[in-house]
Amino acid sequence: MTDLTHEQLADFRRRLQAAQIAAKAVLHQGAGHKQVEASGQTIGRLTRMDALQLQAMSQLSRHQIQIKLRQIDAALLMLDAGKFGVCRKCRFPLAFERLDAVPEAPFCMDCQQSMEDS
Ligand SMILES: [Zn+2]
């Protein structure tokens, strides 16, 4: 278990859910900025920050979004299980800065790099 506060966990859950909605929206809309931006209206519960997330998501390829969506789903499951923020490889808690930048990150920096190097 990490030392994240209840508020931090709630915030990560909200961001992950927003990212999940954004990822699904982009996947269903197909590629292309304008379509995605227009779809912002249909997703009424997205805040301005979430809309930015939607825009960031639309920069990724379909394949990248699918990977991201799987990581988001997994991160939400971990949240439910009370194991959010733990590296899936070495089982150490992830640094808050890393989670803050990438809430769905499945691995810590060290493990991520060692996998990319190999
Ligand atoms: Zn690790």
Side-chain angles (χ1 to χ4, degrees):
M1 194 55 205
T2 60
D3 53 3
L4 293 169
T5 66
H6 206 72
E7 287 72 27
Q8 284 170 328
L9 286 171
D11 187 49
F12 280 128
R13 179 184 295 276
R14 202 199 67 77
R15 285 172 55 187
L16 283 164
Q17 283 169 339
Q20 193 180 42
I21 294 169
K24 283 180 183 167
V26 174
L27 280 178
H28 291 164
Q29 297 275 325
H33 281 240
K34 282 179 182 125
Q35 283 171 303
V36 172
E37 270 170 285
S39 79
Q41 293 164 343
T42 61
I43 310 164
R45 32 194 211 127
L46 287 185
T47 63
R48 204 183 118 69
M49 192 185 126
D50 298 334
L52 288 175
Q53 206 157 24
L54 188 68
Q55 218 168 27
M57 200 73 76
S58 67
Q59 317 268 341
L60 302 174
S61 75
R62 243 184 128 68
H63 181 64
Q64 283 174 312
I65 296 171
Q66 278 161 347
I67 292 171
K68 217 172 177 50
L69 191 54
R70 270 203 294 274
Q71 291 178 340
I72 292 166
D73 287 343
L76 282 167
L77 284 176
M78 294 296 255
L79 257 175
D80 288 338
K83 292 174 186 165
F84 176 74
V86 177
C87 175
R88 273 194 262 163
K89 198 170 179 209
C90 70
R91 307 278 163 198
F92 273 99
L94 271 65
F96 180 78
E97 292 71 29
R98 173 144 173 83
L99 285 174
D100 196 37
V102 191
E104 71 275 20
F107 307 110
C108 69
M109 276 303 211
D110 290 345
C111 291
Q112 184 80 49
Q113 264 163 15
S114 70
M115 280 184 287
E116 279 168 12
D117 288 347
S118 63

